[in-house]
Amino acid sequence: METKPVITCLKTLLIVYSFVFWITGAILLAVGVWGKLMLGPYISLIADNSTNAPYVLIGTGTVIIVFGLFGCFATCRGSPWMLKLYAMFLSLVFLAELVAGISGFVFRHEIKGTFHRTYTDAVLNYNAEDEASRAVDNLQHKLRCCGVYNYTSWLASVYYPSNGIPASCCFNSSDCTIEDLRNATIAPSKVFHQGCYELVTSFMETNMAIIAGVTFGIAFSQSIGMLLACCLSRIITANQYEMV
């Protein structure tokens, strides 16, 4: 009889935790869908080849939603083997998030190098029509930047001889003509001077510690769920033996 209040308390805590875990999965799923629909062109500038990052988020979010519901069901049923299975899944999620966080932090310089290579290639082969070119235009317009390091990056592109610097570099589109953008003397006074590579990488460096901290925080929160599930499973099993 003395264990019933403990079991009730653990069940309540684990159900609340499972609900929060379920919300985390829903957020990952939403971010994955949003990333696929809205950030596809930008992601192509960061990776050498097509990346599966949005699909990984969608898949991970879906699995977490399913197991979050499973955790609630296992807790309500009070089934020891279901609770152990739930704890095992949480341990796998914990390890996966820990590895992802460490890898992202350790290989951040490699990510910067890949971005520099792919973005430089997109600038040099810019044609204003393909997906990479549209991504470059959107990036330059929204970040108010021009070229890799500055506007001179465009002078070596295949686009410059006939069209000049892209209009997305102009800080005032109403006062920026093709003739101005083809003129190496006038163009500098019409376009943004800061390069996009510096802006993007400085943002990455500034926020990498925050991103890593959030990732590790979420990962270690899984240990709470593992502890609750294991404790509840053990107490329920012990209580069943006592009743026998």
Side-chain angles (χ1 to χ4, degrees):
M1 296 295 291
E2 295 178 358
T3 58
K4 285 187 177 181
V6 177
I7 291 175
T8 302
C9 180
L10 287 174
K11 278 188 173 183
T12 302
L13 290 174
L14 191 54
I15 287 175
V16 171
Y17 173 84
S18 297
F19 179 70
V20 174
F21 188 54
W22 183 88
I23 291 177
T24 303
I27 292 174
L28 286 176
L29 178 61
V31 170
V33 173
W34 176 76
K36 179 59 181 174
L37 296 177
M38 303 299 295
L39 300 181
Y42 298 107
I43 293 176
S44 66
L45 293 178
I46 298 176
D48 287 318
N49 302 307
S50 179
T51 179
N52 293 320
Y55 296 109
V56 171
L57 289 175
I58 292 172
T60 303
T62 302
V63 172
I64 287 177
I65 288 174
V66 172
F67 270 89
L69 294 174
F70 176 80
C72 290
F73 177 74
T75 304
C76 293
R77 283 289 303 273
S79 172
W81 74 267
M82 286 185 176
L83 290 169
K84 290 177 181 177
L85 181 60
Y86 185 46
M88 185 182 300
F89 171 74
L90 290 176
S91 66
L92 293 176
V93 173
F94 167 76
L95 292 175
E97 290 176 344
L98 199 61
V99 170
I102 294 174
S103 299
F105 188 77
V106 171
F107 294 106
R108 64 189 186 279
H109 297 298
E110 183 177 334
I111 295 173
K112 288 168 58 178
T114 300
F115 172 67
H116 179 269
R117 185 167 57 254
T118 54
Y119 189 67
T120 299
D121 184 66
V123 168
L124 294 177
N125 296 290
Y126 178 91
N127 60 17
E129 296 178 358
D130 61 15
E131 185 180 50
S133 298
R134 290 194 297 271
V136 169
D137 283 332
N138 289 331
L139 188 68
Q140 292 187 148
H141 178 71
K142 291 182 178 180
L143 297 185
R144 300 178 66 82
C145 57
C146 187
V148 181
Y149 292 107
N150 52 48
Y151 70 92
T152 59
S153 302
W154 287 104
L155 302 182
S157 70
V158 296
Y159 184 80
Y160 181 79
S162 57
N163 300 282
I165 298 173
S168 56
C169 279
C170 298
F171 53 75
N172 185 0
S173 57
S174 61
D175 184 32
C176 206
T177 64
I178 294 180
E179 288 74 20
D180 292 336
L181 295 173
R182 292 176 61 186
N183 191 315
T185 304
I186 300 176
S189 63
K190 304 285 185 177
V191 300
F192 305 119
H193 286 186
Q194 189 168 15
C196 298
Y197 175 75
E198 181 182 352
L199 280 176
V200 173
T201 53
S202 63
F203 174 82
M204 290 173 57
E205 287 290 343
T206 303
N207 294 278
M208 186 58 72
I210 298 174
I211 295 172
V214 171
T215 302
F216 290 136
I218 294 174
F220 280 105
S221 72
Q222 313 305 329
S223 62
I224 298 174
M226 287 188 290
L227 181 63
L228 289 173
C230 289
C231 287
L232 181 58
S233 174
R234 187 169 184 177
I235 291 175
I236 290 175
T237 302
N239 189 52
Q240 289 174 344
Y241 281 122
E242 288 177 4
M243 292 175 65
V244 173

